[in-house]
Every structure is written in structure tokens, then in C-alpha cells.
Amino acid sequence: VTESTTLHWSAIDKQKYSKDSVFFRDGVRRIDFVLSYIDDKDDQRKQERRRVYESNLQKVGLELETEDKTESEDGKTYFVKIHAPWEVLATYADVLKIKVPFKVNDIPDNSEIPMNWLSTPFRLPGHIMNPEPDYFTAPFNKSKSDFFLIEDKETFFPPSTRNRIVYYILARCPYFKDECGDRDKKGIKRLLNNGTYTAAFPLHDSRYWTKSKDPNCESERFSLYKYWAKFFCFFKEQPLNLVRKYYGEKIGIYFAWLGFYTEMLFFAAVVGTICFVYGFLTYDDNEWSKEICSEEIGGNIVMCPLCDQKCTYWRLNITCNSSWQSHLFDNVATVFFAIFMGIWVTLFLEFWKRRQARLEYEWDLVDFEEEQQQLQLRPEYETKCTNRKLNRITQEMEPYLPITSKCARICLSGATVLLWISLIIACIIGVIAYRLAVYASFASIMKNNTATNLDVVAPYVTPQLATSVTASCINFVIIMILNLLYERVAIKITDMEIPKTHVEYENKLTVKMFLFQFVNYYSSCFYVAFFKGKFVGYPGNYTYMFGSSKLRNEECEPGGCLIELTTQLVIVMTGKQVWGNIQEALVPWLMNWWGSRKARSHPESLYSRWEQDYDLQGFGQLGLFYEYLEMVIQFGFITLFVASFPLAPLLALINNIIEVRVDAWKLTTQFRRPVAAKAHSIGAWEEILGGMAVLSVVTNAFIVAFTSDMIPRLVYMYAYRTHDELNMKGYINNSLSVFNISQFSLEERPEEYPSWFNSSVTTCRYRDYRYPPDDKKRYEHNMQFWHILAAKLAFIIIMEHVVFMVKFFVAWMIPDVPSDVRARVKRERYLVQEYLHNYEVEKLRIQLSQNSNNECTCTPMIYPSLSKHEVLSECL
């Protein structure tokens, strides 16, 4: 479009046509992409780049239309609208091997579900669930365009495919003159990086809350908002085909995975809730808690001080409430649930592979090669790599990073990651030191239960619980702060490595972020589960943190460390989920509200579609990366430590029901439309999930064996009980060893004594299995300790082998690709060959018939004026 035409249109009365449209001013040509820039009169280089770049886009065949800055809200932003005509779309659809329909699917759908009427309340209308008929497809071939089902060339390629093709061109179009020959200066990403353009995005097809007034506009965004993004649709199925049609396969497969994960969480949540209810119903059968709470037993057991000097002797029955609470999670059902979750994880991964295989077929991704789209040089790689070498395929010189520089950058990057992981561990050690230092303070404050300000809470809050809750909250704050800082560091060190392609960049960033997040979120839980209370020593010979310091290693309560692990898990997991959802929904909304505050007062017809989208947030290349990362971290919480908290899957289920709608809402209403991208799987995350599934079996086996009191109780009941009945009477007395208080050193003796303490108290009890002070092997581990240790190790081995055997058997039994999908793939390949053969035979027959008449009516194909290398090099 010439400058005079632009000026002519800018002079037309604004009220004569609505600017809330996805078409050029002629109302016919569709806007496939929009570029925006602010004209800086002082920067001639940017002006020249834009002029050359837009000129080259027109040479390729794209059509441009510019909106003058006088038309924009701020009076300084220009908008360049881009339209791809049929010839360009057909050429690049051929280059990208985009699959298009050639025949209606003739395989009958026999997947009738029994009692299908029960799912009616959860169904969406048919035109929403299946916006397009089911076709057999084949890669587009421009020379055989009449082979495909082309009814209307303007609507043959959906908008998502059109913007993907245009973006492919924009990413490769140079902004240098032919005579300059600097082939590195190309691509919209570099122009965005150097500020030549301020934004580049495809348009949403309508406002999200109302349909477009243009009858030629699909208003799919409105349909997505109405049937998918509203929270009150949480019980409805997701319109995945419409999501894929509007946003592309990469975003579609994320929501397919998130929805499937949420569905599978339902079964884990039901079983976990049943296990919790079992613990609640067997409350009264909890013999050891009765003994702890009993005045005759727990009230007469004097326990040794839990810290030096500041802590005093205490009676066991003050831990009555925590003992009852621990039983809710530490019972026989815990073992069953740990085994169940090991099998559930396998079923989840195997059934997801089948679901993914079905989506690959339905979304034409069976033969998809990611290299066609994503294995392209990053602009940063082209800029920073000044060395050149010959590409053996294209026989052209291309940039490369010398091996010495590459190794040095990787080593520096790895050292940075290790430094930050060390920083996390240092913070965890700091929190542990806080626990040890503050515990004495809480103990001295709470030792007098008659204090008026503690009358209400004193029976329920023990020093251990107060320390655990405050330490967990501090730990959560540290986690979030470190996470915020490390995200920026991870991106910077990944940029420093200069990955060659986008796939390589995402994989490197994924590994760095996941390693850091794994240590950041799970280290405190690992400490409570596997280290706290395990290296304490015994009275008179305690183990101290940092050697000779006064910080004595923490002990577990007589109720066990499992309840503390549960507290830690609940605070970190729920805190992260609540904070994440608030951050995801609130921050974009506030930024968009502030950015569009002036334009909201304008009439709809004057607030143009491109300006509406320009005022939204950019989704970004790593938008999905953070969504996957959030869900994978949650997956770790509900698998690695689920034996300590059977309600974790229920909390995750509730969060994910909200998460699906929050993600849908923000994508539909708060973000610009992302460029459609293809992906045939969830990528590297699938391997990470598989690794965590294996690790979860090990961690849950160790939690049941070493953190829970399940094994010591069973050993007592079957081997050490002192009565004929098979019950737990006498367990508490059996599980506590005896110490002679006269053997305490001056540094260990308490400064104050409770009112009930007198000279008749000569011994105190502590949690361990050791010989009494009057035995010749005093304070050494007794035989029961070794029996329990052997039982724990045997349990770990048996549980791991049983679960792994079941896992591998289930994985072997369930094929990754459903049989009907495999049949459909074979049928489609057969039909493609058959139809192409018949097409070629018919074409040859017509050509021979024409040759016999000495006539040739073949018209040469018209391609855009782009060199062969520019079109095909990326496909090689």
C-alpha cells in the first residue's frame, strides 16, 4: 500500500467503518499479523531497517496496510497490518508440509460408552467440541492443489495456520539490501530485540465477551470464553479441538495434559480421602495415644529435656493432642496408599501416552517433525557467533560456536547452578539452626501452662508444633524469594551458553529450572522426612549441630516426625498453589487494566482490534514453560511425600480444577493471541515425570519405614508384646528407653524444674531402643533396635520390588498406541497412496489425451519472488 493511499484512508471519517475488525479496510483481506512501532525521527537506522524489511516482505508476496499514528490512542504508535494471499499460503504450506484434508473420514466411530447419558451434564455442544469435520489428511502439495478438498481459498487455511505461516516468513525475512550481503540481519525477533518494532502478534478474532459484528468472523475467542474460560464451567469437559484450532497444537496439548492429569487426580483423591477417613474412624482404637493421654501411664512418664539448660523435664501426656493428630496420617492405610500411589503414577503415565497418541492422530501430528518448525538458528546465536564454518547440507557458511568457548560457557553455567543450589542448602541449614535456637525459647514460654495468655492454646500448641509451623512459614518465604531471583539467573546463564536452536534453549532452561526448583521446594521436606530425629544421640551424649555449638540436633516427638512432615508439606504446597494462582490471574489483569484505562472510554468502533490486542500482555515464548514447571512441582508433592499426607491429591485436584480455568481465562482475556505452534508431545517434561515416578516409590518406602512409626509398632505387636492378646498395649513404655538423670553434665541440666519434680524422680525417658543404665551394655542399642532396623530395610526392599514389578507389568500390558488409532493411521497412509496413485494416473491420461491433440494448456505455477535457498533451506 503506497503512502498516498495510507494518507487518503487516514483522512476518511473514522465513523464510516468499524475498526474492531480482523480485515483490511476493504473488508475482504484478512489481517494475519500485526507489527507495531513508534517512529523515532532521531534514529535513522531503525527507519531504514523498517523500510527495507517491509519492502522485502512485499517482495515475498505479503500485502501490507499501515495505520498512521494519528489513528492510534497514544498518537505515536504505527500499526502495520499484514495479509498473506493464497499464493504465499500455498507455497509455504508446501514448504512446511502442513497437512490438509483430501477425503472425509469413512471409518465408523464405534467408541460408544455404556450409559453415556450419565455424562450429559458435563458435555459441551457438538459444534464447540468438534468445530471441524473429521478428515483424512495429507501434506499439502501446491502442484497438486486440486487433489485436496478446497472449497474456498480464503478459508481453506484456518487463522492459526495462516499466522504460523506468516510468522515463519517474518522470522526469516532479511532487513538488509541485496547489495549489502549481510545475511545475518534477518528475522522479526532481532528487530524486536533491537527496538525497531515494539510488538509483533496475530489478532484475536473478536472481543472475548461478545461476538464480532462482522458475519465473516468466526468469533472463536468468544466461544472459548463462554464455554471454557469461565470458572462456572469447571465441571464441563474442555473444547480441546477448538483450543487447538484457535491457539495451535502446542497450547492444545498442554491443556489436554492438564485436563487428563486432573481427571486422574480424582481417583487418587478418592483413595487418599478414604485412607484419611479410615484414620479418623479408627481414632478410638489408637491404643498408643490412649496410653500417652492416660494419667496413669503418660502422666507418670517423665521425659528427658529436649534441649540443654532452657528446657526442663516434662510429662509425656502433654503431647496427647499431637499424638491423636498423628494417627490421622500414620496408620495402616498409609502403607496401602503409598503402594497405591506407586501404581497410580504408572497408570497415569501409561494412559497419558495412549491419550497423547490419539491426539497425535486426530491433530495430524503422526509424522510431524519438530525440526521443521523449531530447529532454526536463534537470532542471538547468529549475532554472538562471529566464527563461520561450511554447512555440509546447504554448502553455505553459517555461524558456529568454537568447542573451547562452548565448554567454558557450559562449565561456568554449571558452576552457577551448583552455587545457587548450595545457597538453597545453606538457607535450609539456617532454617534448621532457627528451629534449634527457637525451640528452647518456645519451650521456656510454654512450660507454664497456667499463663493467662496461653490458657486457650496451651493444650493444643506444643513447642515442637510452634517451632515447626513458624519454621515452615519462614522456609516458604525463603523459597519464594530464591525462586524469584533464580528465574532471572537461569535465563541469563542459559543466554550466556548461546544455545543454537529454540528447542535446545528450552531444554537447557528446563533442566536448570527443574534442578533448582527440585532442591528449593523439596529440600525442607527431605530434611524432616529423612534427617530430623535420626542423628540425635542420647542423654549424656547428644549430637550437636556444627560440632561444639550449643545447638542440639532436633528430636522427633513421641508422636513421630510424620505429623511435622505433614505440616511442612501442607504449608509449602498450599502456599505455593494459592500464591501461584493469585500471581497468574491478578498481575496480568492489573497491568492490562492500567494499560487500557484511557481507551476504555472510547466507542467500540474506534477502539481498533489491533490496539485492543496491543494493550494486552505478550504471552512470550516461555509462557507454557512456567505452566508445565508449576504442575510438575505439584506432581512431585503428591507423589514423593504422599505417604505422609493422603489428602495431598485432594488439594491438588481442587487446585487444578481452578488452575485449568485460570489458565484458560488469562490466555483468552489477558494475553495477546500466541503464534500457533506445533508440538506432538509435552516434550522433556515426560521424561522428568517418569523419573519422579520412579523416585517416588523409593521416597515413600523410606517415609513409611523411617519417618512413620508403622514398622516399630508391627515389630512390637508380633515379637515384643508382653501379653497374649494381639494389640498395642504397653507399646509406649516399650518404645522409650531409660536414663539416669544423675549422669547429666552441668551444661545439659535444666536451669529450672517443674513444680511436680522432686527427689523421687531418678530417671527420665527418651525415644530410642537402648539398654537401661543398670545393664552392663548401658546406653548401647539393644536387640529390638536391630530387629526394627532389619524389618525397615526388609519392608523397603519388598515394597520397592512389589511396586516396581507391578509398574513394569502394567507398563508392558498397556500399549502406548491404542489399536483403533494404529488402524486409522494405517488406513490413512493407505488412502493417501491410493488416492495419489489414482490422481497421477488420471492426470497422465488427460495429459496424453491433450498431447494427442497437440495442445498444452498447462499454466506455469507462480511462486513469490524469493530465492530457492530462502524458501527451502530450513527444511533441509
Side-chain angles (χ1 to χ4, degrees):
V1 179
T2 62
E3 185 177 357
S4 60
T5 307
T6 304
L7 294 174
H8 169 72
W9 275 100
S10 63
I12 292 179
D13 184 1
K14 295 180 182 180
Q15 299 288 354
K16 286 189 177 178
Y17 76 101
S18 173
K19 297 172 74 175
D20 186 18
S21 170
V22 293
F23 293 95
F24 275 20
R25 297 190 187 99
D26 57 17
V28 176
R29 292 174 295 171
R30 189 182 189 98
I31 302 171
D32 296 314
F33 227 88
V34 173
L35 307 179
S36 65
Y37 64 90
I38 297 174
D39 194 12
D40 186 358
K41 298 295 184 183
D42 298 329
D43 197 333
Q44 297 296 326
R45 293 177 64 189
K46 289 182 180 179
Q47 292 183 16
E48 180 63 17
R49 285 188 203 131
R50 282 194 294 268
R51 189 189 65 76
V52 174
Y53 186 67
E54 291 173 19
S55 174
N56 286 338
L57 289 178
Q58 289 176 321
K59 289 179 183 177
V60 168
L62 297 179
E63 298 174 4
L64 311 183
E65 186 175 82
T66 304
E67 290 287 331
D68 193 77
K69 65 181 180 182
T70 56
E71 301 284 311
S72 65
E73 175 59 37
D74 57 10
K76 57 183 180 181
T77 304
Y78 291 84
F79 292 95
V80 181
K81 299 174 287 184
I82 301 174
H83 168 76
W86 168 257
E87 287 296 332
V88 175
L89 293 173
T91 300
Y92 284 93
D94 193 345
V95 167
L96 295 171
K97 302 301 178 189
I98 292 173
K99 288 190 172 184
V100 293
F102 69 90
K103 184 183 185 300
V104 177
N105 191 338
D106 60 355
I107 299 179
D109 186 7
N110 298 321
S111 58
E112 283 295 326
I113 303 173
M115 302 182 70
N116 195 32
W117 55 272
L118 289 174
S119 62
T120 302
F122 310 103
R123 298 286 180 192
L124 290 175
H127 72 280
I128 299 297
M129 286 303 297
N130 299 295
E132 295 177 313
D134 192 9
Y135 294 107
F136 287 123
T137 59
F140 186 77
N141 188 328
K142 187 177 179 182
S143 63
K144 299 181 178 66
S145 58
D146 53 338
F147 171 73
F148 302 98
L149 298 178
I150 303 176
E151 295 179 2
D152 184 354
K153 290 183 178 181
E154 293 301 320
T155 58
F156 180 67
F157 294 108
S160 58
T161 303
R162 296 175 69 101
N163 72 54
R164 180 183 160 217
I165 290 173
V166 172
Y167 185 75
Y168 183 90
I169 298 171
L170 292 176
R172 288 158 182 77
C173 185
Y175 54 89
F176 59 85
K177 295 180 180 179
D178 293 337
E179 60 271 15
C180 296
D182 189 355
R183 304 191 64 81
D184 292 339
K185 292 184 176 180
K186 63 179 180 180
I188 187 61
K189 287 185 179 178
R190 288 192 64 180
L191 291 171
L192 290 171
N193 290 341
N194 60 33
T196 304
Y197 289 99
T198 55
F201 53 92
L203 290 180
H204 282 296
D205 61 3
S206 67
R207 294 170 182 249
Y208 67 83
W209 65 86
T210 183
K211 283 189 174 183
S212 173
K213 296 177 181 178
D214 191 332
N216 295 322
C217 189
E218 302 86 353
S219 296
E220 290 173 346
R221 185 190 188 193
F222 167 74
S223 298
L224 286 170
Y225 176 71
K226 181 180 179 181
Y227 294 103
W228 181 52
K230 287 185 176 179
F231 177 73
F232 292 106
C233 298
F234 71 90
F235 61 94
K236 297 281 190 180
E237 60 186 339
Q238 294 189 83
L240 292 176
N241 288 323
L242 185 58
V243 174
R244 173 248 181 170
K245 182 172 182 277
Y246 191 75
Y247 289 115
E249 288 79 3
K250 192 171 185 178
I251 289 176
I253 212 160
Y254 163 73
F255 280 102
W257 176 81
L258 180 57
F260 182 80
Y261 171 44
T262 305
E263 291 170 14
M264 290 294 289
L265 272 177
F266 173 78
F267 302 102
V270 168
V271 177
T273 305
I274 292 172
C275 292
F276 177 78
V277 171
Y278 170 83
F280 185 79
L281 294 178
T282 56
Y283 217 53
D284 296 332
D285 301 330
N286 184 1
E287 194 66 42
W288 56 91
S289 290
K290 289 180 181 178
E291 292 186 355
I292 290 174
C293 297
S294 167
E295 284 293 329
E296 292 76 21
I297 301 175
N300 288 323
I301 294 178
V302 177
M303 300 296 293
C304 297
L306 292 172
C307 62
D308 296 340
Q309 297 183 337
K310 294 295 182 184
C311 300
T312 187
Y313 299 100
W314 52 285
R315 285 176 173 153
L316 182 61
N317 62 351
I318 70 169
T319 62
C320 176
N321 286 321
S322 64
S323 175
W324 284 112
Q325 294 162 6
S326 178
H327 174 71
L328 292 173
F329 307 107
D330 191 0
N331 52 64
V332 178
T334 299
V335 181
F336 166 76
F337 191 57
I339 295 172
F340 168 81
M341 286 302 292
I343 299 169
W344 174 87
V345 168
T346 304
L347 290 172
F348 164 64
L349 293 175
E350 291 302 315
F351 282 127
W352 166 246
K353 288 177 185 176
R354 290 171 63 84
R355 175 75 172 123
Q356 188 170 263
R358 190 175 295 280
L359 287 175
E360 281 186 36
Y361 168 73
E362 293 176 353
W363 292 355
D364 299 323
L365 300 169
V366 174
D367 300 316
F368 169 68
E369 292 291 337
E370 262 184 283
E371 289 81 356
Q372 290 182 5
Q373 180 186 357
Q374 289 188 317
L375 286 188
Q376 52 182 277
L377 297 183
R378 297 172 63 241
E380 297 83 358
Y381 182 83
E382 295 177 348
T383 304
K384 295 177 182 177
C385 296
T386 55
N387 296 289
R388 295 287 185 273
K389 71 174 182 179
L390 185 68
N391 186 313
R392 296 180 181 180
I393 298 173
T394 62
Q395 291 298 306
E396 292 197 5
M397 300 301 289
E398 68 174 18
Y400 85 103
L401 193 63
I403 189 69
T404 52
S405 175
K406 192 172 185 178
C407 290
R409 290 170 186 273
I410 291 174
C411 290
L412 182 58
S413 175
T416 307
V417 174
L418 289 175
L419 176 66
W420 275 83
I421 289 177
S422 303
L423 180 61
I424 300 173
I425 296 172
C427 290
I428 296 301
I429 293 172
V431 172
I432 295 170
Y434 164 84
R435 286 172 177 270
L436 303 181
V438 171
Y439 177 78
S441 302
F442 278 125
S444 62
I445 292 171
M446 296 179 179
K447 66 183 176 182
N448 185 4
N449 287 349
T450 59
T452 53
N453 59 332
L454 291 177
D455 272 346
V456 178
V457 297
Y460 306 101
V461 180
T462 63
Q464 292 97 328
L465 181 61
T467 304
S468 177
V469 171
T470 55
S472 297
C473 292
I474 292 171
N475 183 62
F476 173 70
V477 172
I478 291 173
I479 283 173
M480 299 311 294
I481 293 172
L482 286 176
N483 186 33
L484 191 66
L485 296 174
Y486 181 76
E487 277 185 14
R488 300 179 182 181
V489 173
I491 292 173
K492 284 187 177 296
I493 59 178
T494 306
D495 289 339
M496 181 197 69
E497 290 183 43
I498 320 180
K500 186 175 183 178
T501 65
H502 296 292
V503 172
E504 187 180 343
Y505 183 90
E506 286 191 15
N507 289 342
K508 285 178 179 289
L509 187 59
T510 298
V511 171
K512 290 181 183 63
M513 286 296 292
F514 179 74
L515 280 176
F516 179 85
Q517 298 269 19
F518 185 91
V519 178
N520 197 13
Y521 281 108
Y522 303 142
S523 54
S524 58
C525 293
F526 271 101
Y527 163 72
V528 174
F530 305 124
F531 295 97
K532 184 181 178 183
K534 307 298 186 295
F535 310 100
V536 177
Y538 60 91
N541 188 26
Y542 284 118
T543 305
Y544 290 84
M545 189 177 184
F546 308 124
S548 60
S549 72
K550 294 184 179 181
L551 299 177
R552 200 170 92 192
N553 284 353
E554 283 186 286
E555 294 185 47
C556 290
E557 294 185 56
C561 267
L562 196 74
I563 189 67
E564 189 169 337
L565 177 59
T566 303
T567 304
Q568 181 78 26
L569 189 67
V570 170
I571 290 175
V572 177
M573 179 180 170
T574 55
K576 179 187 182 303
Q577 292 180 346
V578 170
W579 172 253
N581 279 325
I582 291 174
Q583 193 177 28
E584 284 184 19
L586 197 60
V587 173
W589 181 81
L590 286 174
M591 293 179 72
N592 290 335
W593 176 83
W594 181 256
S596 62
R597 62 192 184 283
K598 291 182 180 178
R600 285 194 298 272
S601 60
H602 285 207
E604 286 189 18
S605 60
L606 295 186
Y607 192 21
S608 65
R609 169 104 318 271
W610 42 93
E611 280 191 278
Q612 292 175 44
D613 286 9
Y614 181 71
D615 289 338
L616 299 177
Q617 300 300 302
F619 188 64
Q621 184 187 351
L622 298 177
L624 279 185
F625 170 82
Y626 293 112
E627 301 296 341
Y628 275 119
L629 183 63
E630 179 186 3
M631 287 295 103
V632 170
I633 293 297
Q634 182 207 78
F635 181 82
F637 280 124
I638 69 160
T639 54
L640 296 177
F641 307 103
V642 75
S644 68
F645 187 46
L647 292 180
L650 179 63
L651 293 180
L653 174 65
I654 295 170
N655 173 80
N656 285 11
I657 289 172
I658 299 171
E659 179 78 22
V660 171
R661 304 303 160 178
V662 168
D663 286 351
W665 174 81
K666 71 179 184 183
L667 193 65
T668 307
T669 66
Q670 303 302 309
F671 284 94
R672 296 171 190 156
R673 185 174 183 172
V675 178
K678 282 188 174 289
H680 59 78
S681 69
I682 61 174
W685 298 110
E686 196 168 334
E687 302 299 324
I688 291 174
L689 291 173
M692 294 180 75
V694 173
L695 181 61
S696 69
V697 177
V698 179
T699 56
N700 283 306
F702 271 85
I703 286 172
V704 173
F706 286 98
T707 311
S708 162
D709 283 338
M710 185 63 56
I711 305 300
R713 290 173 195 153
L714 293 175
V715 170
Y716 170 79
M717 188 167 66
Y718 288 103
Y720 286 89
R721 71 182 190 278
T722 56
H723 49 273
D724 295 332
E725 295 181 18
L726 196 66
N727 59 35
M728 295 298 295
K729 286 183 179 178
Y731 169 72
I732 290 298
N733 187 58
N734 174 267
S735 66
L736 298 173
S737 297
V738 180
F739 181 76
N740 189 336
I741 62 175
S742 63
Q743 296 172 349
F744 271 126
S745 65
L746 290 175
E747 292 78 12
E748 293 175 336
R749 288 179 183 175
E751 295 175 348
E752 298 180 10
Y753 295 92
S755 58
W756 49 262
F757 190 87
N758 54 49
S759 58
S760 64
V761 180
T762 59
T763 61
C764 64
R765 309 295 292 273
Y766 61 98
R767 183 183 171 87
D768 209 341
Y769 294 92
R770 294 179 184 270
Y771 288 107
D774 55 355
D775 193 278
K776 62 180 181 180
K777 295 182 179 179
R778 65 178 183 179
Y779 305 139
E780 292 182 17
H781 283 123
N782 59 23
M783 191 54 66
Q784 187 174 354
F785 170 84
W786 299 109
H787 286 167
I788 290 172
L789 181 61
K792 288 179 176 180
L793 296 176
F795 171 81
I796 290 171
I797 293 170
I798 292 170
M799 178 179 166
E800 286 183 359
H801 280 70
V802 168
V803 175
F804 279 132
M805 284 176 63
V806 173
K807 279 169 66 72
F808 290 130
F809 178 73
V810 168
W812 175 74
M813 282 287 292
I814 302 174
D816 291 348
V817 182
S819 56
D820 64 314
V821 171
R822 193 179 292 112
R824 285 169 177 262
V825 170
K826 290 179 179 178
R827 168 73 174 160
E828 185 166 309
R829 285 174 177 165
Y830 165 76
L831 281 176
V832 169
Q833 292 178 347
E834 182 185 34
Y835 273 66
L836 276 174
H837 174 264
N838 294 340
Y839 172 81
E840 293 291 352
V841 169
E842 180 65 19
K843 194 173 181 181
L844 181 61
R845 186 186 63 79
I846 294 172
Q847 189 174 358
L848 290 173
S849 174
Q850 290 174 341
N851 287 341
S852 64
N853 296 328
N854 293 324
E855 292 180 0
C856 182
T857 58
C858 301
T859 56
M861 303 307 295
I862 301 171
Y863 286 86
S865 56
L866 200 65
S867 68
K868 183 177 180 181
H869 167 68
E870 286 292 340
V871 177
L872 299 177
S873 63
E874 296 297 338
C875 292
L876 294 174

